[in-house]
Short mmCIF file of all heavy atoms in Angstrom, two decimals:
data_model
loop_
_atom_site.label_atom_id
_atom_site.label_comp_id
_atom_site.label_asym_id
_atom_site.label_seq_id
_atom_site.Cartn_x
_atom_site.Cartn_y
_atom_site.Cartn_z
N GLY A 174 97.32 141.22 22.21
CA GLY A 174 97.04 142.63 22.31
C GLY A 174 97.99 143.45 21.46
O GLY A 174 98.94 142.95 20.88
N GLN A 175 97.68 144.68 21.41
CA GLN A 175 98.45 145.66 20.63
C GLN A 175 99.79 145.96 21.30
O GLN A 175 99.83 146.20 22.50
CB GLN A 175 97.61 146.92 20.54
CG GLN A 175 98.07 147.93 19.52
CD GLN A 175 97.11 149.10 19.48
OE1 GLN A 175 97.01 149.83 20.44
NE2 GLN A 175 96.40 149.23 18.37
N PRO A 176 100.90 145.93 20.55
CA PRO A 176 102.20 146.26 21.15
C PRO A 176 102.21 147.72 21.65
O PRO A 176 101.49 148.57 21.12
CB PRO A 176 103.19 146.10 20.01
CG PRO A 176 102.51 145.36 18.93
CD PRO A 176 101.04 145.59 19.12
N ILE A 177 103.03 147.98 22.66
CA ILE A 177 103.20 149.33 23.19
C ILE A 177 104.66 149.71 23.00
O ILE A 177 105.57 148.96 23.36
CB ILE A 177 102.84 149.39 24.69
CG1 ILE A 177 101.36 149.06 24.88
CG2 ILE A 177 103.17 150.77 25.26
CD1 ILE A 177 100.95 148.92 26.33
N VAL A 178 104.89 150.88 22.41
CA VAL A 178 106.24 151.43 22.27
C VAL A 178 106.27 152.69 23.13
O VAL A 178 105.51 153.62 22.90
CB VAL A 178 106.57 151.77 20.80
CG1 VAL A 178 107.93 152.45 20.70
CG2 VAL A 178 106.53 150.51 19.94
N GLU A 179 107.13 152.69 24.15
CA GLU A 179 107.23 153.82 25.07
C GLU A 179 108.59 154.48 24.88
O GLU A 179 109.63 153.84 25.02
CB GLU A 179 107.06 153.33 26.50
CG GLU A 179 106.86 154.43 27.49
CD GLU A 179 106.45 153.92 28.87
OE1 GLU A 179 106.37 152.70 29.07
OE2 GLU A 179 106.23 154.77 29.74
N LEU A 180 108.57 155.78 24.53
CA LEU A 180 109.80 156.52 24.27
C LEU A 180 110.22 157.34 25.48
O LEU A 180 109.43 158.09 26.04
CB LEU A 180 109.61 157.44 23.07
CG LEU A 180 109.18 156.77 21.76
CD1 LEU A 180 109.03 157.80 20.66
CD2 LEU A 180 110.17 155.70 21.35
N LEU A 181 111.47 157.19 25.90
CA LEU A 181 112.07 157.90 27.03
C LEU A 181 111.25 157.79 28.32
O LEU A 181 110.96 158.80 28.97
CB LEU A 181 112.30 159.38 26.68
CG LEU A 181 113.26 159.66 25.54
CD1 LEU A 181 113.41 161.17 25.35
CD2 LEU A 181 114.61 159.03 25.77
N PRO A 182 110.90 156.56 28.75
CA PRO A 182 110.10 156.44 29.97
C PRO A 182 110.84 156.81 31.24
O PRO A 182 110.21 157.20 32.22
CB PRO A 182 109.70 154.96 29.98
CG PRO A 182 110.80 154.28 29.24
CD PRO A 182 111.22 155.27 28.17
N ALA A 183 112.17 156.69 31.25
CA ALA A 183 112.93 156.95 32.47
C ALA A 183 114.30 157.51 32.11
O ALA A 183 115.33 156.91 32.39
CB ALA A 183 113.08 155.67 33.28
N LEU A 184 114.31 158.67 31.51
CA LEU A 184 115.57 159.29 31.09
C LEU A 184 116.34 159.79 32.31
O LEU A 184 115.83 160.58 33.10
CB LEU A 184 115.27 160.46 30.16
CG LEU A 184 116.48 161.17 29.56
CD1 LEU A 184 117.23 160.22 28.65
CD2 LEU A 184 116.04 162.40 28.80
N PRO A 185 117.58 159.32 32.49
CA PRO A 185 118.38 159.78 33.63
C PRO A 185 118.71 161.28 33.53
O PRO A 185 118.98 161.77 32.43
CB PRO A 185 119.66 158.95 33.55
CG PRO A 185 119.38 157.83 32.62
CD PRO A 185 118.29 158.31 31.71
N ALA A 186 118.70 161.97 34.63
CA ALA A 186 119.02 163.40 34.66
C ALA A 186 120.44 163.65 34.16
O ALA A 186 120.74 164.73 33.64
CB ALA A 186 118.85 163.94 36.08
N ALA A 187 121.31 162.64 34.27
CA ALA A 187 122.70 162.78 33.82
C ALA A 187 122.82 162.82 32.30
O ALA A 187 123.89 163.09 31.78
CB ALA A 187 123.54 161.64 34.38
N TRP A 188 121.72 162.54 31.59
CA TRP A 188 121.70 162.56 30.12
C TRP A 188 120.75 163.64 29.63
O TRP A 188 119.67 163.35 29.12
CB TRP A 188 121.25 161.23 29.56
CG TRP A 188 122.13 160.06 29.88
CD1 TRP A 188 123.35 160.07 30.49
CD2 TRP A 188 121.84 158.70 29.59
NE1 TRP A 188 123.84 158.81 30.60
CE2 TRP A 188 122.93 157.93 30.06
CE3 TRP A 188 120.78 158.04 29.00
CZ2 TRP A 188 122.96 156.56 29.94
CZ3 TRP A 188 120.82 156.67 28.88
CH2 TRP A 188 121.91 155.95 29.34
N PRO A 189 121.08 164.91 29.75
CA PRO A 189 120.14 165.98 29.38
C PRO A 189 119.86 166.05 27.88
O PRO A 189 118.83 166.56 27.45
CB PRO A 189 120.83 167.25 29.86
CG PRO A 189 122.28 166.91 29.91
CD PRO A 189 122.35 165.45 30.25
N GLY A 190 120.77 165.54 27.06
CA GLY A 190 120.57 165.56 25.61
C GLY A 190 121.27 164.37 24.97
O GLY A 190 122.20 163.81 25.54
N GLY A 191 120.76 163.97 23.81
CA GLY A 191 121.40 162.86 23.12
C GLY A 191 120.58 162.36 21.96
O GLY A 191 119.53 162.92 21.61
N ARG A 192 121.06 161.26 21.38
CA ARG A 192 120.40 160.67 20.22
C ARG A 192 120.62 159.17 20.26
O ARG A 192 121.72 158.71 20.58
CB ARG A 192 120.98 161.24 18.93
CG ARG A 192 120.30 160.76 17.68
CD ARG A 192 120.85 161.55 16.47
NE ARG A 192 119.98 161.39 15.32
CZ ARG A 192 120.07 160.41 14.43
NH1 ARG A 192 121.00 159.48 14.56
NH2 ARG A 192 119.24 160.36 13.41
N LEU A 193 119.59 158.41 19.94
CA LEU A 193 119.68 156.96 19.82
C LEU A 193 119.29 156.58 18.40
O LEU A 193 118.35 157.16 17.83
CB LEU A 193 118.73 156.27 20.79
CG LEU A 193 119.03 156.43 22.28
CD1 LEU A 193 117.89 155.83 23.10
CD2 LEU A 193 120.33 155.74 22.62
N HIS A 194 119.97 155.60 17.83
CA HIS A 194 119.67 155.15 16.48
C HIS A 194 119.62 153.63 16.46
O HIS A 194 120.52 152.98 16.98
CB HIS A 194 120.74 155.65 15.50
CG HIS A 194 120.54 155.15 14.11
ND1 HIS A 194 119.58 155.68 13.28
CD2 HIS A 194 121.15 154.17 13.42
CE1 HIS A 194 119.63 155.03 12.13
NE2 HIS A 194 120.58 154.11 12.19
N GLY A 195 118.55 153.07 15.87
CA GLY A 195 118.47 151.63 15.72
C GLY A 195 118.05 150.85 16.94
O GLY A 195 118.20 149.64 16.99
N LEU A 196 117.51 151.53 17.94
CA LEU A 196 117.00 150.86 19.13
C LEU A 196 115.83 149.97 18.72
O LEU A 196 114.99 150.38 17.93
CB LEU A 196 116.53 151.91 20.14
CG LEU A 196 116.06 151.43 21.50
CD1 LEU A 196 117.24 150.88 22.28
CD2 LEU A 196 115.45 152.59 22.26
N ARG A 197 115.79 148.74 19.22
CA ARG A 197 114.72 147.81 18.86
C ARG A 197 113.63 147.83 19.92
O ARG A 197 113.92 147.78 21.11
CB ARG A 197 115.26 146.39 18.72
CG ARG A 197 116.31 146.24 17.65
CD ARG A 197 115.80 146.50 16.27
NE ARG A 197 114.89 145.43 15.89
CZ ARG A 197 114.30 145.34 14.72
NH1 ARG A 197 114.51 146.25 13.80
NH2 ARG A 197 113.49 144.35 14.45
N ALA A 198 112.38 147.90 19.46
CA ALA A 198 111.23 147.92 20.36
C ALA A 198 110.35 146.72 20.03
O ALA A 198 110.56 146.01 19.05
CB ALA A 198 110.45 149.21 20.18
N ARG A 199 109.33 146.51 20.84
CA ARG A 199 108.38 145.41 20.62
C ARG A 199 107.75 145.51 19.24
O ARG A 199 107.58 146.59 18.70
CB ARG A 199 107.28 145.46 21.67
CG ARG A 199 107.77 145.14 23.05
CD ARG A 199 106.59 145.11 24.01
NE ARG A 199 107.08 144.80 25.33
CZ ARG A 199 106.97 145.62 26.36
NH1 ARG A 199 106.38 146.78 26.22
NH2 ARG A 199 107.43 145.27 27.53
N GLY A 200 107.38 144.35 18.70
CA GLY A 200 106.68 144.32 17.43
C GLY A 200 107.58 144.51 16.22
O GLY A 200 107.10 144.80 15.13
N GLY A 201 108.90 144.37 16.39
CA GLY A 201 109.81 144.53 15.27
C GLY A 201 110.00 145.96 14.84
O GLY A 201 110.33 146.23 13.70
N ILE A 202 109.81 146.90 15.76
CA ILE A 202 109.93 148.33 15.47
C ILE A 202 111.35 148.79 15.78
O ILE A 202 111.90 148.48 16.83
CB ILE A 202 108.93 149.15 16.32
CG1 ILE A 202 107.50 148.64 16.15
CG2 ILE A 202 109.03 150.63 16.00
CD1 ILE A 202 106.93 148.77 14.78
N SER A 203 111.94 149.55 14.86
CA SER A 203 113.25 150.16 15.06
C SER A 203 113.03 151.64 15.34
O SER A 203 112.25 152.30 14.65
CB SER A 203 114.09 149.98 13.79
OG SER A 203 115.31 150.66 13.92
N VAL A 204 113.71 152.16 16.36
CA VAL A 204 113.49 153.54 16.83
C VAL A 204 114.76 154.37 16.70
O VAL A 204 115.84 153.93 17.10
CB VAL A 204 113.06 153.54 18.33
CG1 VAL A 204 112.84 154.95 18.84
CG2 VAL A 204 111.82 152.67 18.53
N THR A 205 114.61 155.56 16.15
CA THR A 205 115.65 156.58 16.17
C THR A 205 115.02 157.79 16.86
O THR A 205 113.91 158.19 16.51
CB THR A 205 116.10 156.95 14.75
OG1 THR A 205 116.68 155.79 14.15
CG2 THR A 205 117.10 158.08 14.76
N LEU A 206 115.71 158.34 17.86
CA LEU A 206 115.13 159.50 18.55
C LEU A 206 116.22 160.41 19.06
O LEU A 206 117.37 160.03 19.19
CB LEU A 206 114.20 159.07 19.68
CG LEU A 206 114.74 158.21 20.82
CD1 LEU A 206 115.46 159.04 21.86
CD2 LEU A 206 113.59 157.46 21.46
N SER A 207 115.84 161.65 19.32
CA SER A 207 116.76 162.61 19.91
C SER A 207 116.01 163.39 20.99
O SER A 207 114.80 163.54 20.93
CB SER A 207 117.34 163.55 18.86
OG SER A 207 116.34 164.34 18.28
N TRP A 208 116.76 163.86 21.98
CA TRP A 208 116.18 164.66 23.04
C TRP A 208 117.14 165.76 23.42
O TRP A 208 118.34 165.68 23.18
CB TRP A 208 115.81 163.79 24.24
CG TRP A 208 116.97 163.19 24.98
CD1 TRP A 208 117.56 163.69 26.11
CD2 TRP A 208 117.68 161.99 24.67
NE1 TRP A 208 118.59 162.87 26.50
CE2 TRP A 208 118.69 161.82 25.64
CE3 TRP A 208 117.58 161.04 23.66
CZ2 TRP A 208 119.57 160.75 25.63
CZ3 TRP A 208 118.47 159.96 23.66
CH2 TRP A 208 119.44 159.83 24.63
N LYS A 209 116.58 166.82 23.95
CA LYS A 209 117.36 167.98 24.35
C LYS A 209 116.75 168.55 25.63
O LYS A 209 115.53 168.63 25.74
CB LYS A 209 117.31 169.04 23.23
CG LYS A 209 118.21 170.24 23.47
CD LYS A 209 118.01 171.25 22.35
CE LYS A 209 119.14 171.11 21.35
NZ LYS A 209 119.08 172.12 20.29
N LYS A 210 117.60 168.91 26.57
CA LYS A 210 117.15 169.46 27.86
C LYS A 210 116.14 168.54 28.54
O LYS A 210 115.16 169.00 29.13
CB LYS A 210 116.58 170.87 27.69
CG LYS A 210 117.62 171.86 27.20
CD LYS A 210 117.06 173.25 27.09
CE LYS A 210 118.11 174.20 26.54
NZ LYS A 210 117.61 175.54 26.34
N GLY A 211 116.36 167.22 28.40
CA GLY A 211 115.51 166.24 29.05
C GLY A 211 114.16 166.01 28.38
O GLY A 211 113.33 165.28 28.91
N ARG A 212 113.94 166.61 27.20
CA ARG A 212 112.64 166.46 26.52
C ARG A 212 112.83 165.85 25.14
O ARG A 212 113.78 166.17 24.43
CB ARG A 212 111.96 167.83 26.38
CG ARG A 212 111.60 168.46 27.72
CD ARG A 212 110.82 169.73 27.53
NE ARG A 212 109.62 169.48 26.75
CZ ARG A 212 108.39 169.39 27.25
NH1 ARG A 212 108.21 169.54 28.54
NH2 ARG A 212 107.35 169.18 26.47
N LEU A 213 111.89 164.99 24.77
CA LEU A 213 111.91 164.36 23.46
C LEU A 213 111.83 165.43 22.39
O LEU A 213 110.97 166.31 22.42
CB LEU A 213 110.72 163.41 23.35
CG LEU A 213 110.65 162.53 22.11
CD1 LEU A 213 111.87 161.62 22.02
CD2 LEU A 213 109.38 161.70 22.15
N GLU A 214 112.78 165.41 21.46
CA GLU A 214 112.85 166.42 20.41
C GLU A 214 112.25 165.92 19.10
O GLU A 214 111.44 166.60 18.48
CB GLU A 214 114.30 166.84 20.22
CG GLU A 214 114.49 168.04 19.35
CD GLU A 214 115.94 168.51 19.36
OE1 GLU A 214 116.85 167.68 19.20
OE2 GLU A 214 116.15 169.72 19.55
N SER A 215 112.66 164.73 18.67
CA SER A 215 112.11 164.14 17.45
C SER A 215 112.31 162.63 17.49
O SER A 215 113.15 162.13 18.24
CB SER A 215 112.79 164.72 16.22
OG SER A 215 114.15 164.34 16.18
N PHE A 216 111.52 161.92 16.68
CA PHE A 216 111.69 160.47 16.60
C PHE A 216 111.18 159.96 15.26
O PHE A 216 110.40 160.63 14.57
CB PHE A 216 110.97 159.75 17.75
CG PHE A 216 109.49 159.96 17.80
CD1 PHE A 216 108.63 159.13 17.09
CD2 PHE A 216 108.95 160.99 18.55
CE1 PHE A 216 107.26 159.32 17.14
CE2 PHE A 216 107.59 161.18 18.61
CZ PHE A 216 106.73 160.35 17.90
N GLU A 217 111.66 158.77 14.91
CA GLU A 217 111.26 158.10 13.69
C GLU A 217 111.22 156.61 13.99
O GLU A 217 112.14 156.07 14.60
CB GLU A 217 112.26 158.40 12.58
CG GLU A 217 111.85 157.87 11.23
CD GLU A 217 112.76 158.39 10.13
OE1 GLU A 217 112.81 159.62 9.92
OE2 GLU A 217 113.43 157.55 9.50
N LEU A 218 110.11 155.96 13.60
CA LEU A 218 109.92 154.54 13.84
C LEU A 218 109.84 153.81 12.51
O LEU A 218 109.19 154.30 11.58
CB LEU A 218 108.63 154.32 14.64
CG LEU A 218 108.50 155.16 15.91
CD1 LEU A 218 107.11 155.00 16.50
CD2 LEU A 218 109.55 154.78 16.91
N HIS A 219 110.49 152.65 12.42
CA HIS A 219 110.48 151.84 11.20
C HIS A 219 110.07 150.42 11.57
O HIS A 219 110.45 149.92 12.63
CB HIS A 219 111.88 151.78 10.57
CG HIS A 219 112.35 153.08 10.04
ND1 HIS A 219 112.27 153.40 8.71
CD2 HIS A 219 112.89 154.15 10.65
CE1 HIS A 219 112.74 154.63 8.54
NE2 HIS A 219 113.14 155.10 9.71
N GLY A 220 109.32 149.77 10.67
CA GLY A 220 108.92 148.39 10.89
C GLY A 220 108.08 147.91 9.73
O GLY A 220 108.01 148.56 8.68
N PRO A 221 107.40 146.78 9.91
CA PRO A 221 106.57 146.26 8.84
C PRO A 221 105.44 147.24 8.50
O PRO A 221 104.76 147.74 9.39
CB PRO A 221 106.00 144.96 9.43
CG PRO A 221 106.96 144.58 10.53
CD PRO A 221 107.45 145.89 11.07
N PRO A 222 105.26 147.57 7.21
CA PRO A 222 104.19 148.49 6.81
C PRO A 222 102.84 148.05 7.37
O PRO A 222 102.53 146.86 7.41
CB PRO A 222 104.20 148.42 5.28
CG PRO A 222 105.61 148.03 4.95
CD PRO A 222 106.02 147.10 6.05
N GLY A 223 102.06 149.03 7.83
CA GLY A 223 100.73 148.76 8.36
C GLY A 223 100.70 148.30 9.80
O GLY A 223 99.62 148.09 10.35
N THR A 224 101.85 148.16 10.45
CA THR A 224 101.88 147.75 11.86
C THR A 224 101.23 148.84 12.72
O THR A 224 101.54 150.01 12.59
CB THR A 224 103.33 147.53 12.33
OG1 THR A 224 103.92 146.51 11.55
CG2 THR A 224 103.39 147.14 13.80
N THR A 225 100.30 148.44 13.57
CA THR A 225 99.62 149.36 14.48
C THR A 225 100.06 149.06 15.91
O THR A 225 100.18 147.90 16.29
CB THR A 225 98.09 149.21 14.35
OG1 THR A 225 97.71 149.54 13.01
CG2 THR A 225 97.35 150.13 15.31
N PHE A 226 100.31 150.12 16.69
CA PHE A 226 100.74 149.96 18.07
C PHE A 226 100.39 151.20 18.87
O PHE A 226 100.06 152.24 18.32
CB PHE A 226 102.24 149.66 18.15
CG PHE A 226 103.10 150.67 17.43
CD1 PHE A 226 103.63 151.75 18.10
CD2 PHE A 226 103.35 150.53 16.07
CE1 PHE A 226 104.40 152.69 17.43
CE2 PHE A 226 104.13 151.46 15.40
CZ PHE A 226 104.64 152.53 16.08
N ARG A 227 100.48 151.07 20.18
CA ARG A 227 100.25 152.20 21.08
C ARG A 227 101.59 152.89 21.29
O ARG A 227 102.57 152.26 21.72
CB ARG A 227 99.71 151.69 22.41
CG ARG A 227 99.22 152.77 23.30
CD ARG A 227 97.81 153.09 22.92
NE ARG A 227 97.33 154.21 23.72
CZ ARG A 227 96.46 155.07 23.29
NH1 ARG A 227 95.94 154.94 22.10
NH2 ARG A 227 96.07 156.05 24.02
N LEU A 228 101.68 154.18 20.97
CA LEU A 228 102.90 154.96 21.13
C LEU A 228 102.74 155.87 22.34
O LEU A 228 101.81 156.68 22.39
CB LEU A 228 103.16 155.80 19.88
CG LEU A 228 104.35 156.75 19.95
CD1 LEU A 228 105.66 155.96 20.09
CD2 LEU A 228 104.40 157.63 18.73
N CYS A 229 103.63 155.72 23.30
CA CYS A 229 103.60 156.54 24.52
C CYS A 229 104.88 157.37 24.59
O CYS A 229 105.97 156.83 24.49
CB CYS A 229 103.49 155.66 25.76
SG CYS A 229 102.02 154.64 25.79
N THR A 230 104.71 158.67 24.74
CA THR A 230 105.83 159.57 24.97
C THR A 230 105.57 160.27 26.29
O THR A 230 104.47 160.16 26.84
CB THR A 230 105.95 160.62 23.84
OG1 THR A 230 104.87 161.54 23.94
CG2 THR A 230 105.97 159.97 22.45
N PRO A 231 106.54 161.01 26.82
CA PRO A 231 106.28 161.72 28.07
C PRO A 231 105.10 162.70 27.97
O PRO A 231 104.47 163.03 28.96
CB PRO A 231 107.59 162.46 28.34
CG PRO A 231 108.63 161.61 27.68
CD PRO A 231 107.95 161.10 26.44
N GLU A 232 104.76 163.15 26.76
CA GLU A 232 103.70 164.14 26.58
C GLU A 232 102.37 163.56 26.14
O GLU A 232 101.33 164.18 26.33
CB GLU A 232 104.11 165.20 25.54
CG GLU A 232 105.22 166.13 25.99
CD GLU A 232 106.60 165.52 25.80
OE1 GLU A 232 106.77 164.67 24.90
OE2 GLU A 232 107.51 165.87 26.57
N THR A 233 102.36 162.37 25.50
CA THR A 233 101.13 161.88 24.89
C THR A 233 101.10 160.36 24.82
O THR A 233 102.11 159.70 25.01
CB THR A 233 100.96 162.48 23.47
OG1 THR A 233 99.68 162.11 22.96
CG2 THR A 233 102.03 161.99 22.54
N SER A 234 99.94 159.83 24.52
CA SER A 234 99.75 158.41 24.28
C SER A 234 98.70 158.29 23.17
O SER A 234 97.62 158.87 23.29
CB SER A 234 99.27 157.72 25.55
OG SER A 234 99.01 156.36 25.30
N GLU A 235 99.04 157.58 22.09
CA GLU A 235 98.12 157.46 20.97
C GLU A 235 98.37 156.18 20.21
O GLU A 235 99.44 155.59 20.30
CB GLU A 235 98.26 158.66 20.03
CG GLU A 235 99.65 158.78 19.42
CD GLU A 235 99.82 160.02 18.57
OE1 GLU A 235 98.91 160.33 17.77
OE2 GLU A 235 100.87 160.66 18.69
N THR A 236 97.37 155.74 19.46
CA THR A 236 97.52 154.59 18.59
C THR A 236 98.00 155.10 17.23
O THR A 236 97.43 156.04 16.68
CB THR A 236 96.18 153.84 18.43
OG1 THR A 236 95.78 153.36 19.72
CG2 THR A 236 96.32 152.67 17.48
N VAL A 237 99.08 154.51 16.72
CA VAL A 237 99.64 154.92 15.43
C VAL A 237 99.82 153.70 14.54
O VAL A 237 99.90 152.57 15.02
CB VAL A 237 100.98 155.69 15.59
CG1 VAL A 237 100.81 156.93 16.42
CG2 VAL A 237 102.04 154.79 16.17
N THR A 238 99.89 153.95 13.24
CA THR A 238 100.10 152.89 12.25
C THR A 238 101.25 153.31 11.34
O THR A 238 101.28 154.45 10.86
CB THR A 238 98.82 152.67 11.42
OG1 THR A 238 97.75 152.33 12.30
CG2 THR A 238 99.01 151.55 10.41
N LEU A 239 102.18 152.40 11.11
CA LEU A 239 103.27 152.68 10.18
C LEU A 239 102.70 152.80 8.77
O LEU A 239 101.80 152.05 8.40
CB LEU A 239 104.32 151.57 10.23
CG LEU A 239 105.03 151.37 11.58
CD1 LEU A 239 106.05 150.25 11.47
CD2 LEU A 239 105.68 152.64 12.07
N ASP A 240 103.21 153.73 7.98
CA ASP A 240 102.69 153.97 6.64
C ASP A 240 103.09 152.84 5.68
O ASP A 240 103.69 151.85 6.08
CB ASP A 240 103.10 155.35 6.12
CG ASP A 240 104.60 155.50 5.86
OD1 ASP A 240 105.31 154.47 5.75
OD2 ASP A 240 105.06 156.65 5.74
N ALA A 241 102.75 153.01 4.41
CA ALA A 241 103.01 151.98 3.39
C ALA A 241 104.49 151.68 3.21
O ALA A 241 104.86 150.63 2.69
CB ALA A 241 102.38 152.38 2.06
N THR A 242 105.36 152.61 3.64
CA THR A 242 106.80 152.37 3.55
C THR A 242 107.36 151.86 4.89
O THR A 242 108.56 151.69 5.03
CB THR A 242 107.57 153.65 3.13
OG1 THR A 242 107.39 154.65 4.12
CG2 THR A 242 107.08 154.15 1.78
N GLY A 243 106.48 151.68 5.89
CA GLY A 243 106.90 151.18 7.20
C GLY A 243 107.52 152.23 8.08
O GLY A 243 108.36 151.92 8.92
N VAL A 244 107.07 153.49 7.95
CA VAL A 244 107.66 154.60 8.71
C VAL A 244 106.58 155.39 9.43
O VAL A 244 105.47 155.56 8.93
CB VAL A 244 108.45 155.55 7.77
CG1 VAL A 244 108.99 156.75 8.51
CG2 VAL A 244 109.57 154.80 7.08
N TYR A 245 106.92 155.89 10.63
CA TYR A 245 106.11 156.88 11.35
C TYR A 245 107.10 157.90 11.92
O TYR A 245 108.04 157.52 12.62
CB TYR A 245 105.30 156.24 12.47
CG TYR A 245 104.43 157.25 13.19
CD1 TYR A 245 103.17 157.57 12.71
CD2 TYR A 245 104.88 157.88 14.35
CE1 TYR A 245 102.38 158.50 13.36
CE2 TYR A 245 104.10 158.81 15.00
CZ TYR A 245 102.85 159.12 14.50
OH TYR A 245 102.08 160.05 15.14
N ARG A 246 106.87 159.18 11.64
CA ARG A 246 107.76 160.25 12.12
C ARG A 246 106.99 161.22 13.03
O ARG A 246 105.82 161.49 12.79
CB ARG A 246 108.31 161.07 10.93
CG ARG A 246 109.30 160.33 10.10
CD ARG A 246 109.83 161.23 8.96
NE ARG A 246 110.79 160.53 8.15
CZ ARG A 246 110.49 159.81 7.06
NH1 ARG A 246 109.24 159.72 6.66
NH2 ARG A 246 111.44 159.20 6.39
N SER A 247 107.70 161.77 13.98
CA SER A 247 107.11 162.81 14.81
C SER A 247 106.92 164.08 13.99
O SER A 247 107.61 164.29 13.00
CB SER A 247 108.01 163.11 16.02
OG SER A 247 109.28 163.59 15.59
N GLY A 248 105.99 164.90 14.44
CA GLY A 248 105.79 166.21 13.81
C GLY A 248 105.16 166.11 12.49
O GLY A 248 104.95 166.92 11.70
#
């Protein structure tokens, strides 16, 4: 089946803001993300070009594909 990448599924209240870089997710995906006031602010995913997966955030769930350079960015 299709890999699922879930961003900030259980953010502790003690961490209202922050940034993660180089977090590894299923399917060989590398994640960089930031959040502020407990909400996802921005993210960038890197992996093998053309990789398709289900991306779940606290606000949405969608199928995405990494571009020809192996990148998917929020916004």
